Amino acid sequence: LGDVGNALDEKLIGSLVRELGNLEKDKKVRVVVLGGAGESFCCGRDAAWTKPVAEARIAELMDVLCRMSKPTLARVHGAVQGDGAVLVACCDIAVASHHAQFCLSGVTPAVVGSLVAAIGERMAQRYLLTGEEFPSAEAWRIGLVHEIVAAADLDETVLRMVQQLLQNAAATTAMKKALVVK
């Protein structure tokens, strides 16, 4: 991801949509890892971005991510807010650092369905309504992330997961992904 808390803006979303498209077409790429630069995974949508345009572009990004035929893995650390949590939910697998902090306030209405699919209606209702922050242990408990590890072990765990995914044939992986509709 990009600058300033990796906030989603036109530039970052354009780059992500383009890069995900390129990765999808590249037959040498078998697994896509989505991670954030700096101290945050993603602080959600840039507040200065005009709402109707932002919502359409965010929905496009989430759709591209959800429709990828290759396995996607979120490498989660730091702050994960609003639509950043939806990015995590759209990935097939999510591994988070113990230090990751989540907050669902500011989720774009058009993409809330991916979040509900990941954590269920009751948990989505609670965390969307309250806007409260919660730690990675709670994100694991409600199903937003699959594994939580010490910050020092995050890269090693992601690499182990990538290696596990690479043991499957690409065609088999794409077929298995198609079985689970998001």
Side-chain angles (χ1 to χ4, degrees), residues 1-7 35-44 75-81 97-102 151 154:
L1 297 176
D3 301 327
V4 191
N6 303 307
E39 295 183 19
S40 300
F41 175 76
C42 178
C43 290
R75 179 201 175 277
V76 184
H77 73 287
V80 184
Q81 299 173 341
S97 155
H98 282 293
H99 297 297
Q101 282 292 116
F102 296 79
L154 186 57

Side-chain angles (χ1 to χ4, degrees), residues 45 51 55 83 106-113:
R45 179 178 69 219
K51 197 171 182 176
E55 288 183 2
D83 292 322
V107 171
T108 298
V111 298
V112 78

Side-chain angles (χ1 to χ4, degrees), residues 8 13 45 49-64 66-67 82-83 85-87 89-90 104-117 128 182:
L8 296 172
I13 287 180
R45 179 178 69 219
W49 199 15
T50 54
K51 197 171 182 176
V53 173
E55 288 183 2
R57 292 292 284 151
I58 288 168
E60 177 188 5
L61 169 61
M62 301 307 176
D63 186 59
V64 167
C66 285
R67 292 184 186 280
D83 292 322
V86 181
L87 280 173
C90 287
L104 303 186
S105 65
V107 171
T108 298
V111 298
V112 78
S114 294
L115 189 63
V116 172
L128 286 167
K182 290 185 179 181

